[in-house]
Amino acid sequence: MTPADLSLTVLHAVRRAVDDGALRVDVPPVVKVERARPGGVGDYASNVALTLARSAGRSALDVAGILEERLRGTPGLRDVAVTGPGFLNFTLRSDAGGDLVRAVREAGDAYGSGTALAGVTVRFADLTESRALLVTETVVRLLRSQGADAALRGHRADDGGVPADERIPAHPGANELPLRGADPTPRNERMPALPGSNEPAPRDADADAADPAPRDERIHVHPGPYQPGLLGVDAARWALLRAAPQDRPLDGGPLLVQHERNPLFRVRYAHSRVRRLIANAAQLGFGPAYDTPVDAPELLGALGDHPVVLLAAARHRAPDRVARHLEVTADALLAFQHTVLPLGDEKPSAAHRSRLALAEAAGTVLAGGLSVLGISAPERI
């Protein structure tokens, strides 16, 4: 059970309570789960019952009790408790880190892909401005990674949403996420929204009959030039994608400096450090295997949040969320890396194998996230 899994698990409990009539509320788009504070109970806590109480017309303790009943026996949860005015507190199984590392290893670069937006069709208006095209192309990739059928209007669904002669080039080494649910002749629909979200509401049959050709979606983007000749592909893409679409692009010059103040350098350097750790461990005669729990809450939390970040970036048309999360993951990995290999005369142990497995999982997440943005993940810097 990862933090992201836990958030989705609580959200599903809310939906089940609404579906069976126990609660009369709008299901929130996300449920916030935080680490338990000092003096709290268990590993994580959520105030979702307090946020739903007023609209439900019930006390927060009543709402928490309804959700607690639907969370009992959830795989990965050792205990669920209600404390204070209505906080839900969760205690995970002791091998939660192992479950997370195994999930990343099994999925590889596709970790974080899912089917939450399966059945959703999104068409974007045709574009010519370079940053708008780059942002929209990346959003198409994000939407497809979550199961949606997304493309630029007038282009085939199997060409990545943008034809090869117009597509903003990614780095030659960047991997594409798998395309899910592509349909060469999709319906022209708007993306349905979860209750309470800021996204457009779903269309019904009557609305479609009255307006058979709804407008294509556009992402509001502050224009900016794509400059791979001056900055290189990686820095040029990061400069346009790291800033929120409606904000000015980043200054490309600082992105060329190999320094810790350069976030692009930190992210790519963190990935290369993982590759060196694995190579150095092989020279010492051991490899990654998560055999014992590792105390690395920041890094485990960042890896567990990766699927939630990808889904939120797709829903909100915000590739900058992925870039920011990569920075968080890289910083956690760089702070953790010094514990991975044996020091001095120390012999490799199960703890070292587990730490190496966690570092390897972090490298996989960094590579996958960079791939979503069309940026390379180098083996060595």
Side-chain angles (χ1 to χ4, degrees):
M1 175 76 66
T2 69
D5 292 334
L6 180 56
S7 176
L8 291 173
T9 297
V10 179
L11 181 61
H12 292 159
V14 175
R15 284 177 177 156
R16 288 199 301 274
V18 171
D19 289 343
D20 61 26
L23 289 177
R24 292 177 175 270
V25 296
D26 288 336
V27 179
V30 295
V31 168
K32 187 176 182 180
V33 172
E34 299 179 310
R35 292 199 170 276
R37 297 179 182 180
V41 176
D43 301 305
Y44 291 91
S46 175
N47 67 346
V48 62
L50 282 78
T51 64
L52 295 177
R54 175 172 292 186
S55 59
R58 310 183 67 155
S59 72
L61 280 173
D62 286 344
V63 175
I66 290 170
L67 298 179
E68 186 268 339
E69 291 177 1
R70 287 157 179 76
L71 289 165
R72 291 176 192 163
T74 299
L77 282 181
R78 194 173 73 200
D79 186 44
V80 183
V82 179
T83 62
F87 289 100
L88 285 168
N89 294 261
F90 311 98
T91 302
L92 306 184
R93 291 201 333 251
S94 60
D95 60 347
D99 291 343
L100 172 58
V101 170
R102 284 186 285 274
V104 176
R105 172 170 284 188
E106 180 178 348
D109 287 354
Y111 171 67
S113 296
T115 58
L117 302 182
V120 171
T121 299
V122 186
R123 288 294 172 266
F124 293 98
D126 205 357
L127 302 164
T128 56
E129 196 276 323
S130 59
R131 189 185 184 203
L133 180 58
L134 174 60
V135 170
T136 303
E137 172 207 329
T138 307
V139 168
V140 165
R141 191 180 298 117
L142 281 164
L143 285 165
R144 287 178 163 210
S145 79
Q146 303 306 311
D149 173 11
L152 279 171
R153 173 64 57 194
H155 303 318
R156 300 191 317 275
D158 60 355
D159 63 9
V162 184
D165 58 347
E166 295 181 20
R167 190 178 303 138
I168 296 289
H171 194 283
N175 297 320
E176 293 286 336
L177 287 176
L179 306 183
R180 302 171 185 271
D183 179 358
T185 56
R187 296 190 309 264
N188 187 8
E189 298 178 357
R190 290 179 185 261
M191 179 178 177
L194 291 172
S197 74
N198 293 322
E199 297 174 8
R203 299 181 63 86
D204 57 29
D206 292 337
D208 283 337
D211 180 10
R215 291 177 299 174
D216 296 330
E217 184 176 330
R218 284 183 181 271
I219 302 172
H220 175 62
V221 174
H222 190 294
Y226 178 63
Q227 300 176 299
L230 178 63
L231 302 175
V233 170
D234 294 324
R237 293 180 72 92
W238 185 272
L240 297 183
L241 294 172
R242 171 57 180 83
Q246 67 273 17
D247 294 339
R248 296 177 65 88
L250 300 183
D251 180 7
L255 299 176
L256 301 179
V257 179
Q258 294 194 359
H259 192 279
E260 63 182 9
R261 290 194 298 269
N262 176 357
L264 174 60
F265 171 74
R266 289 203 313 276
V267 170
R268 299 173 77 234
Y269 175 71
H271 177 267
S272 70
R273 281 298 301 145
V274 170
R275 305 315 305 168
R276 293 313 307 158
L277 288 171
I278 293 173
N280 292 340
Q283 293 174 353
L284 296 174
F286 74 100
Y290 201 98
D291 299 322
T292 62
V294 176
D295 183 19
E298 291 80 10
L299 185 54
L300 285 167
L303 303 191
D305 286 344
H306 187 65
V308 173
V309 170
L310 291 182
L311 179 56
R315 278 181 166 148
H316 295 281
R317 319 298 196 251
D320 58 294
R321 295 187 180 212
V322 179
R324 291 199 304 271
H325 183 66
L326 291 178
E327 293 174 18
V328 171
T329 305
D331 290 343
L333 183 278
L334 291 173
F336 171 76
Q337 62 165 326
H338 307 291
T339 69
V340 174
L341 298 179
L343 300 176
D345 295 332
E346 190 179 10
K347 300 297 183 184
S349 65
H352 294 110
R353 291 194 296 273
S354 296
R355 292 172 197 152
L356 183 63
L358 178 54
E360 180 187 50
T364 299
V365 167
L366 290 170
L370 286 169
S371 175
V372 169
L373 303 178
I375 296 172
S376 68
E379 294 281 320
R380 184 190 293 264
I381 291 183

